Amino acid sequence: MNIVEINAMILALECGAMSLAQVVSWADELIIEFAVPDDRLFDVSTAKHINDAVIALQAFGDSESQSIVAQKAFHLFSVGIEQSLTSHEQVAQKIYYMALADQIPHEEAEGHMFSFWDELDLANAGVYGNPADIRHELVMFIRRYES
């Protein structure tokens, strides 16, 4: 099991870019694959709520490479938006909190990670900016830094 992938799945689950069903299916596949599966996979497989799955995945620990986790998470965010699993607003909020937690895919990305959530909020409220343009910029930003 890849700890970077697991940590990225946590971030994606938290903003709706991955569904509980996807994570449960991932765990089920690994349980079947291994003759003696990791016990922690059973907690993920039997999770009934996203928070339960997040807690179960957190039991695997943290990756030492937060930038690679962020890059993988950005990929999951991009897929989640494409598949309409999550909204641009949820992803913008998540990347804001990732920046606060120093979970940054590349040092150039940090400043922009703070801006999208506010920009979308202002545009959606009709105060300033076009929501469609900002959503497009967000997707392009995510794709630039995904792995």
Side-chain angles (χ1 to χ4, degrees):
M1 287 172 287
N2 183 332
I3 193 65
V4 169
E5 179 183 326
I6 292 169
N7 288 177
M9 287 191 311
I10 291 169
L11 296 169
L13 266 172
E14 290 174 335
C15 74
M18 284 189 80
S19 69
L20 177 61
Q22 288 174 306
V23 173
V24 167
S25 177
W26 168 83
D28 289 344
E29 288 174 17
L30 288 176
I31 290 169
I32 292 168
E33 181 180 326
F34 294 108
V36 181
D38 188 311
D39 289 340
R40 296 172 290 189
L41 288 170
F42 292 100
D43 292 333
V44 177
S45 177
T46 59
K48 300 295 181 208
H49 304 284
I50 288 176
N51 289 339
D52 297 336
V54 167
I55 290 167
L57 289 169
Q58 287 171 337
F60 287 92
D62 290 329
S63 170
E64 291 182 17
S65 180
Q66 290 300 309
S67 66
I68 295 173
V69 169
Q71 291 168 15
K72 296 248 183 236
F74 272 36
H75 173 72
L76 294 173
F77 298 163
S78 178
V79 171
I81 287 172
E82 285 176 18
Q83 295 177 352
S84 299
L85 295 174
T86 191
S87 69
H88 293 81
E89 290 77 11
Q90 287 175 293
V91 170
Q93 180 182 24
K94 188 62 185 172
I95 65 173
Y96 174 86
Y97 285 118
M98 287 173 65
L100 288 176
D102 206 30
Q103 295 173 311
I104 300 164
H106 191 276
E107 61 189 37
E108 293 174 2
E110 184 175 11
H112 295 291
M113 290 174 71
F114 286 110
S115 67
F116 286 106
W117 192 22
D118 285 337
E119 288 178 16
L120 273 173
D121 188 42
L122 291 171
N124 288 336
V127 175
Y128 179 79
N130 181 336
D133 291 343
I134 296 169
R135 287 184 187 110
H136 177 72
E137 289 173 22
L138 174 62
V139 170
M140 293 295 98
F141 172 77
I142 291 168
R143 287 183 182 158
R144 179 177 178 193
Y145 293 106
E146 72 181 345
S147 67

